[in-house]
Amino acid sequence: MVYDGRIVEHRGAHPASTYDFVAIVGNKRFVNLFGNFTNLEYLDLSSNSLKSVLLDPVLSRLCKIKTLLLASNSLSFFPWSKALLLPNLGILDLSDNNLVTLSPNVKNLALYHLDLSHNQITSLPNWFLQNLPNLTVLDVSFNKLTASNATDFPTSELERLDVLGLRGNPFGCTCGNGWFSAWLNDSSVIIPLLAVDVLCDTPDSHRGCAVVKALYTKACSLVTLGRGLSLFFATTILIMVFGALAGNRWHWELAYGLEVLRARWRGGYWDVKAMADDYDAYVDYDVNSVEVSEWVLHELRIQLEEGTGRPLHLCLEERDWVPGISVVHNLSESILQSRKTIFVLTRDFAGSCRFQQALGMAQQRLLDEGTDVIVFVLLEEPRIPSRYLQLRQRVVPGSVLHWPLNPQAQGLFWHDLHKALAPPLPPRCRKDVITSRQPLDGLL
């Protein structure tokens, strides 16, 4: 037999089958002799440059073997499914080989000591450890384990071990795998040289530090909290900046949209058909212009409310709006509670968001009630002729009026404005007028 590399020739009456300890180190030619060692319990095939292991039929007769050493070979695969042919195998050394993955064909082996150190293994599958119910010692030192996720490093199965070797692996030390550091600190498994040789490889700031000291649960919680707060404040700032820009650009559109949403929240739009007309007309004008305000309050108001003819009840922003209520709400209430809406237009006011907002609300009444309520009074001629106003003069005569520069023509202007704001005749009166015209038509 061969023991510790020294070839010892056995001559005598003892057959080979009587030996229970054989060690073959650095020699290949003795592999075929294993069939004769039926009582063999210890077999060392280390440092033989083996690329494969044929458990069947070469080693299938070694049914009593308890220890099998295959370290320092060139194995890239181990036939785990054939290991069932060795029912008493308790110690298996596969260290210093080229193993990359662990086979899923492990079937309830009796192993209690497994050495997989100095290989290229990247993960410890859960199913692999589940099929080794008697395993108490596992050495996976100097592999490629990173413990980046719990799937590749099943701590629930590793917890039943007595000893676990983890030295020399490129472990990551980020808050993403803080669970690994927490497990190392809390586990009852014996991990040799845990504080000095189970080190971080990434990131660079933690390289060479002990895993158990590099990460703390509280520190990771603070980092997570900091990231959450940073994201919250960044999002808040973006919303505020976007809100400021949107409010500056689409102030009236947004206000109108909010008013519509609030109306829907209340249960729907106002029932404009059922509402009584509190005012004959609402006057919308540029309240920021002193000249326009003076003209509305001292010319338009006096002529319509105090002048000759039927007095009209006007709704004016500076006089009739309710303080403390939003501009949009006051604007919508004024338009809805007035029979007509007068727009006093200047070049600046015609391009303002306020005018666009009020015009949209007044046009909405045409869709809701089927009645046109808009009257335009142009104090200044537009720089560019408006096709909308030109079309409106043709479709709705008398709804677009121009303030005359000639004082002698102002009387006709007020007459036309009174006519445009005159309330519609009751249905019976219209029928009487039509009937009274029939004889005249016949005469003509």
Side-chain angles (χ1 to χ4, degrees), residues 369-388:
E369 303 176 64
T371 304
D372 186 80
V373 299
I374 299 175
V375 176
F376 290 104
V377 175
L378 278 64
L379 297 183
E380 296 178 342
E381 294 296 329
R383 297 185 180 91
I384 301 176
S386 172
R387 293 184 180 181
Y388 172 74

Side-chain angles (χ1 to χ4, degrees), residues 16-17 29 41 125 173-174 176 184 200 203 205 229 245 248 261 276 312 352-353 361 386 430:
S17 59
R29 53 181 176 166
E41 295 183 357
C173 294
T174 63
L184 292 178
C200 301
S205 58
L229 291 176
L245 295 176
N248 184 59
L261 292 176
L312 300 176
S352 65
C353 295
M361 292 183 180
S386 172
R430 290 199 299 267

Side-chain angles (χ1 to χ4, degrees), residues 1-9 23 25 27:
M1 90 184 153
V2 179
Y3 178 74
D4 286 343
R6 300 189 304 275
I7 299 178
V8 179
E9 293 184 3
V25 181
N27 294 278

